[in-house]
Amino acid sequence: MKKSGAAKPAAPLRAVSETARCPHEKRCGGCSYSALPYAEQLRKKQREAEKLLGKFCKVEPIVAAPEPLHYRNKVTASFGFQNKKLVVGVYERDSHRVVPIDHCRIQNRTADRIIHIIRDLAVSFRLKAYDEDLRIGTLRHVLVRTSEATGQIMVVIVTGTPIFPGSKNFVTALRKQCPEITTVIQNINPQKTSMILGERDKVLYGKGYIEDELLGLTFRLSPASFYQVNAKMTEKLYEIALSFAQLTPNDTVLDAYCGVGTIGMAASRSAGQVIGVELNKAAVRDAIANAKRNGIENIRFFADDASDFLLRVAESGEKLDVVIMDPPRSGSTERFLQSACKVKPKRIVYVSCNPETLARDLQLLKRWNYHCERIVPIDNFPLTEHLECVALLEKKS
Ligand SMILES: C[S@@+](CC[C@H](N)C(=O)[O-])C[C@H]1O[C@@H](n2cnc3c(N)ncnc32)[C@H](O)[C@@H]1O
C-alpha cells in the first residue's frame, strides 16, 4: 500500500519541465513559455533570435540550460491582502493585486521556503502589508538572494516606513527557523513606485551583503547591486564573451555597465588593464571591494553614466583595445555607441538580455563600420520568453 505523505523520488528535471504545468501561470505571467517542453522553448527562442538578429550575421545554435528549473538565485515577492489575510506572492499581470504563490518552478527552492516562513512569522507578529495609497502598514516586499557556491543567503525585507515593529524579535525568530540565512536587511521604500527597493538600508543581522563565486572569483553583492540571476548559465555567458574578446596582455579593456565588476575582473586575468563603469553606486562600491578581495590590481571602477563616461574618453583621444558592454534591457544609447566606435577598439563584445534593443544597437554600430561577426543566444531564463545573447563586432576597414 502507498504510504500517504511519503516523499516521492524527485523526477528528472527535463521530465518535470515537459509535464508539470504551473497552477499560477495565467495570473502570474512570469513564465510565458512554461507550457512548452524545454526542447520546444529552445527552438522558439532560436527562431526569435534569427528573426531579429539574422540580418547581421548567422545566429549560432542556442546554448541550452542544463537545469531549466529553480535557477533563479534572486527571488522577490510582494505583500498584500486577500480576504483580509496577509498574503505574499507576485503582482497579477498589469495590476497591483497580489497573487499568492506557494511554489514557483523557476525560483530557488530555499528562497521560496524562506519567503513562506516570513509570511507566517509576519502573521504571528501581527504585521500588516503596507498600503501605498493610505501610507499605513509595514511590509511591502521581500527579496531573497542565495549563493549555491558559498551557501550564503541574504534576506531583504522592504518596509514602507522606517518603523518595523518588533524587528529584533522577528529576525531572531526567522533565524531560528532558517539558520542558513547569513544576513538580514531592512530596506525602506516610502515611494509610490513599482521599484522594489528604496534608497535606505538598515542591516538587522550579519554583514549586509552575501558573496557568490563565478569563474574562480568571489563577488560581494549588496541588496541594490545587479547580479545575474542564473549562476550556472552566467559562467557560460562570460566564457563566451571572453572568448569573443580575444584579450592579450597589452589590451586596455572597457567593461561598460559593469555591475559588481564580474566580467571586468574575469577579463583582467588576460588583459593589461581594465576600466569598469557603472551607474549604481552600491554596485561600484561592491566592485571596488571585489577587486581588493580577489587581489586584482589592474582594474579601476568609475561610478558614472556609461554614455557620459565614454564620450569623455573619446573626446580625450584615449584609445581602448576592446569594449565589452552589457547594458540593461533598454539597451545602450546612440551617444555610447558612437563614442565606442570613436575610441577605435579592435572589437566590441555586446552582451544583451534583450534581442530587440540589441538589433537596434547593432544597426547603429554598423553605421559606424562595426559589423557583427558572431552571435550566440544563451538560455539564461528557461520557461520565460527572455533571451540572453552575446555578439562580437569588428571594424571593417
Ligand atoms: C545587465 S546588467 C549587467 C551587469 C554586469 N555586467 C553583470 O553581468 O552582472 C546592466 C548594468 O548596467 C547598469 N546601468 C544601467 N544604466 C546605466 C548607465 N546609464 N550607465 C552605466 N551603467 C548603467 C545597471 O545598474 C546594471 O548593473
Side-chain angles (χ1 to χ4, degrees):
M1 207 176 73
K2 210 169 147 192
K3 260 196 209 161
S4 66
K8 290 184 193 139
L13 282 174
R14 201 158 291 119
V16 173
S17 74
E18 285 176 11
T19 57
R21 295 287 293 264
C22 172
H24 310 294
E25 73 185 35
K26 284 214 174 75
R27 293 178 71 198
C28 160
C31 299
S32 51
Y33 285 13
S34 70
L36 301 173
Y38 189 52
E40 183 51 33
Q41 293 177 33
L42 293 173
R43 281 195 288 275
K44 198 164 154 64
K45 290 188 182 187
Q46 181 77 29
R47 283 197 299 273
E48 279 157 13
E50 283 168 4
K51 195 167 130 207
L52 283 164
L53 304 167
K55 64 180 172 194
F56 298 105
C57 75
K58 182 181 176 306
V59 176
E60 294 175 37
I62 187 165
V63 179
E67 291 177 26
L69 300 181
H70 300 291
Y71 58 84
R72 278 194 69 94
N73 57 23
K74 176 184 162 188
V75 174
T76 53
S78 301
F79 291 94
F81 284 108
Q82 204 179 56
N83 304 327
K84 295 189 181 160
K85 274 197 184 139
L86 184 81
V87 290
V88 67
V90 296
Y91 286 128
E92 193 166 7
R93 218 181 294 192
D94 306 322
S95 92
H96 250 201
R97 214 175 13 250
V98 172
V99 181
I101 301 267
D102 47 13
H103 163 77
C104 170
R105 295 171 69 206
I106 61 173
Q107 292 175 177
N108 176 282
R109 288 186 179 92
T110 306
D112 255 2
R113 184 173 64 81
I114 289 172
I115 287 174
H116 289 103
I117 289 170
I118 289 174
R119 193 257 337 265
D120 292 347
L121 280 175
V123 172
S124 65
F125 276 72
R126 297 176 192 276
L127 294 170
K128 300 272 182 285
Y130 180 73
D131 185 314
E132 213 176 59
D133 297 319
L134 301 175
R135 293 177 180 272
I136 54 169
T138 305
L139 303 173
R140 289 193 84 165
H141 313 282
V142 52
L143 180 156
V144 180
R145 237 179 199 167
T146 53
S147 163
E148 207 172 291
T150 63
Q152 296 177 24
I153 298 179
M154 169 198 287
V155 171
V156 184
I157 298 170
V158 184
T159 57
T161 72
I163 300 156
F164 181 171
S167 62
K168 214 170 165 190
N169 291 340
F170 188 93
V171 172
T172 306
L174 176 61
R175 289 196 49 245
K176 199 167 167 199
Q177 290 197 51
C178 312
E180 63 271 44
I181 294 172
T182 48
T183 190
V184 183
I185 298 136
Q186 177 190 358
N187 174 275
I188 300 141
N189 186 359
Q191 305 299 326
K192 213 169 177 185
T193 168
S194 56
M195 303 283 285
I196 301 277
L197 296 181
E199 285 177 3
R200 274 178 65 198
D201 282 337
K202 190 173 160 193
V203 178
L204 302 179
Y205 169 73
K207 291 192 257 188
Y209 60 84
I210 58 164
E211 290 173 321
D212 190 33
E213 286 165 10
L214 289 172
L215 300 177
L217 296 164
T218 304
F219 297 103
R220 145 187 154 164
L221 315 167
S222 297
S225 299
F226 175 91
Y227 196 64
Q228 302 281 350
V229 296
N230 186 337
K232 287 205 172 68
M233 295 308 285
T234 300
E235 290 199 324
K236 289 185 197 272
L237 172 74
Y238 290 175
E239 274 165 0
I240 295 171
L242 292 174
S243 75
F244 281 7
Q246 299 165 59
L247 300 174
T248 66
N250 291 327
D251 286 340
T252 299
V253 181
L254 176 68
D255 176 11
Y257 310 91
C258 69
V260 299
T262 45
I263 302 180
M265 275 184 244
S268 73
R269 300 191 275 209
S270 321
Q273 52 165 323
V274 180
I275 301 162
V277 60
E278 161 65 47
L279 194 58
N280 180 321
K281 290 196 175 77
V284 175
R285 278 195 294 275
D286 283 347
I288 292 167
N290 288 334
K292 206 167 165 194
R293 168 84 168 75
N294 290 288
I296 297 173
E297 289 179 351
N298 60 342
I299 194 161
R300 283 172 295 152
F301 292 100
F302 296 87
D304 205 345
D305 170 77
S307 306
D308 291 348
F309 179 82
L310 195 53
L311 187 65
R312 282 200 305 278
V313 173
E315 283 172 354
S316 74
E318 252 180 84
K319 293 279 167 281
L320 294 169
D321 298 296
V322 177
V323 169
I324 304 177
M325 55 188 290
D326 182 6
R329 281 185 59 72
S330 52
S332 190
T333 65
E334 191 162 337
R335 269 185 332 131
F336 179 94
L337 298 166
Q338 189 167 20
S339 307
C341 297
K342 275 198 187 139
V343 294
K344 296 195 172 87
K346 290 180 278 191
R347 47 196 81 86
I348 298 174
V349 178
Y350 193 138
V351 178
S352 161
C353 55
N354 183 347
E356 285 179 16
T357 52
L358 174 62
R360 181 199 67 199
D361 291 350
L362 291 182
Q363 195 64 46
L364 283 170
L365 287 164
K366 201 170 158 188
R367 198 200 285 172
W368 298 301
N369 233 1
Y370 276 82
H371 291 255
C372 213
E373 298 294 320
R374 295 183 66 181
I375 298 180
V376 179
I378 303 169
D379 193 19
N380 273 24
F381 315 105
L383 276 69
T384 77
E385 77 269 28
H386 297 292
L387 179 60
E388 193 82 22
C389 289
V390 189
L392 166 65
L393 294 104
E394 285 179 354
K395 192 171 168 62
K396 288 272 174 293
S397 47

